[in-house]
Amino acid sequence: MRALVLATLASLALCEEASGSKSSSQASSGGKQSHESSEQKAAAAVDNLRFARYILSTLAAVVFCLAVYRVVIQSIRYIRTLTCLNNDTQKYFRMPNPAFGAVKQHLLYAPLLRRRHNREVHFAWFHLGYIPTRFQSVFLAAIISMNVILSVWGIEWNGTRAAALSHLRNRTGTLSVVNMVPLVILAGRNNPLIGLLNISFDNFNLVHRWFGRIVVLQALAHTIAEVMKIVDKSGWKNLQTAFQNSQMLITGLVATVAFVAITLQASAALRHAFYETFLHLHIALVILSLVFLWKHLEDTHPQKYLLAMIILWALERFARLTSLIYRNVGRGGTKAELELLPGDACRVTLKMVRPWTFQPGQYVFITVPSVGLWTSHPFSLAWSSSGVDDMQQDSEKGYKVFTDDILANSNDKTSMSLIIRRRSGFTDKLFEKAERSTTGITTISAYVEGPYGGHAVLHSYGTVMIFAGGVGITHQVPFVRDLVAGYASGTVAARKVILVWVIQSPEHLEWIRPWMTTILAMDKRRDVLRIQLFVTRPRSTKEIHSPSATVQMFPGKPNVDTLIEMESENQIGAMGVSVCGTGGLSDDVRAAVRRRQGVRNIDFLEQGFTW
């Protein structure tokens, strides 16, 4: 296209010369410079649009490659599941692929430096975020490098200063707007790539934040280049006048200032300290920047990219609103039962208006109008049942148990349960509301958005180790139930399931007692499931006792490496290791799994939600 534009300009010049025009035959040096300037501007405009397409095409190619990778991995796991349904030894799948094992050890599972990834970095009382994995770092470095190169490539740095600044201004401005398209896609809860690529929202959120930084830096470069161009031409004293007399300049300046404000208030320290304030201010600043950016880009090609971004953002919001109405409106609305539990915890049972298909690993966003109308917070779903009649009082044991048929059609699930640990903000207010009840149970109105997640499947592993730390057990309980039920019905490859739960006090066992009682009573449970409980802060040694050979309790923290080594030496088939808990526990499990790559066929699955 660039050659076509230059050829067109050259042919126009030849036509003018052939017509015998005096201006053509007696052109001044200023006229020649003007002609060359027109060619340069046309070429620069072509480059800007071409590089914008490069970014989108490259990202589309990355998505395609990841989709192919996911199809291959899912196909292997599906075939492995079918092959192992009637195979109790599964010896073939114990041995790893050496090349792929090396990739997992040194790239996919590896932290950037040594072993720290999920443990948050702190400075005094400030949260500074998380250190990305090696693969995440390589990907982010590639995205940043591509944008840096495309921002400066092809600019005539040896030409006039004004021409170079104009080119740099237009290039960085165009790329900044183009990068807003993936920025918005990655931010959405209904991002279709989450299910397509089986990549968690947490990972997309990380890339979203870095795309946001790229957009802001390119917008700053765009603004600074324009300011320098004006100063070079008219001086600093006329800079204010230039902005006051130009709608394009003043609207662009406001949009840039809003971008910078978004970056500052979205820093990890402020985001963690004042999350709800951050969220509301974030949305308000985004809307402000889009309004002024739209005015700034009037009658320009980049406005088309901005329009595409706005449409994607509106569609995602519309999908969320539609789901919220469908899930919660009618039949009296969604109700939430709050039940106080020991250890500053609260069991929340959601009575849904309409049923949904429950899958292990799902989470929802909950809004409680009486606590905070404009805030929604994510929580993992721990249990599903068909209604209130599924929970009955056990007269002998004195606590409630669930009698719901585990293998019943999951489409009938209308009651969802979860555990919320008391922290600050929303959870503290919710806990205070539950404390006011004289009966111990409070029923309030709530809005549930979701379900999200539920893409991780452990059916193809002959040996499954499930680690949970504290309230992280809520994410892992559905996997345990699913695997035990699948073993009884012969629909999974699992022959050994080991649950390792790390808690501070034995009273935390009350959080999941009714659900665990149901699981322990399931058919063939003793043949497949072992539970190991580690109590890190027991009040006395009398609290530590093992109910049976398959349910054991130990004092102190577990030696994760030793536990995984013991199971991997006698593993059946491929081994899947899942963890949901504190950053330290996740990093310890990651390190232990990495150490055994190339020796055994072991996969690592980390479950978490950061913001």
Side-chain angles (χ1 to χ4, degrees), residues 173 240 430:
Q240 182 177 353
L430 195 67

Side-chain angles (χ1 to χ4, degrees), residues 375-388:
T375 60
S376 61
H377 295 260
F379 298 99
S380 294
L381 293 174
W383 198 263
S384 65
S385 57
S386 302
V388 295

Side-chain angles (χ1 to χ4, degrees), residues 251-265:
T251 53
L253 179 63
V254 173
T256 301
V257 171
F259 283 158
V260 174
I262 290 173
T263 303
L264 295 177
Q265 62 97 208

Side-chain angles (χ1 to χ4, degrees), residues 11-166:
S11 64
L12 290 174
L14 290 174
C15 290
E16 291 179 0
E17 185 176 357
S19 65
S21 168
K22 290 183 179 181
S23 61
S24 175
S25 61
Q26 301 175 354
S28 64
S29 60
K32 291 179 180 179
Q33 293 175 358
S34 176
H35 180 69
E36 291 174 359
S37 176
S38 298
E39 288 185 338
Q40 292 174 352
K41 289 181 179 180
V46 171
D47 280 345
N48 294 342
L49 298 179
R50 181 157 57 103
F51 290 164
R53 288 194 292 269
Y54 280 174
I55 290 179
L56 298 179
S57 300
T58 301
L59 295 176
V62 170
V63 170
F64 176 78
C65 292
L66 291 175
V68 171
Y69 171 79
R70 195 235 169 152
V71 169
V72 171
I73 294 298
Q74 291 296 102
S75 299
I76 293 174
R77 291 176 179 175
Y78 180 73
I79 293 173
R80 188 169 68 198
T81 302
L82 295 180
T83 306
C84 296
L85 290 180
N86 298 312
N87 184 350
D88 291 334
T89 59
Q90 305 176 23
K91 292 182 179 180
Y92 174 80
F93 296 104
R94 289 181 59 189
M95 303 311 298
N97 180 302
F100 189 50
V103 171
K104 291 192 292 184
Q105 181 180 8
H106 300 294
L107 183 63
L108 297 182
Y109 299 163
L112 177 60
L113 300 175
R114 293 186 177 181
R115 59 182 294 155
R116 186 168 192 158
H117 165 60
N118 209 31
R119 280 185 300 164
E120 195 168 21
V121 179
H122 293 266
F123 178 76
W125 295 278
F126 297 103
H127 299 261
L128 300 182
Y130 300 87
I131 300 176
T133 64
R134 201 166 293 170
F135 178 76
Q136 290 171 342
S137 300
V138 170
F139 178 76
L140 292 173
I143 294 297
I144 294 170
S145 300
M146 176 181 67
N147 276 278
V148 171
I149 293 172
L150 294 182
S151 293
V152 299
W153 186 270
I155 295 178
E156 298 292 340
W157 298 105
N158 295 326
T160 64
R161 178 181 170 90
L165 288 174
S166 294

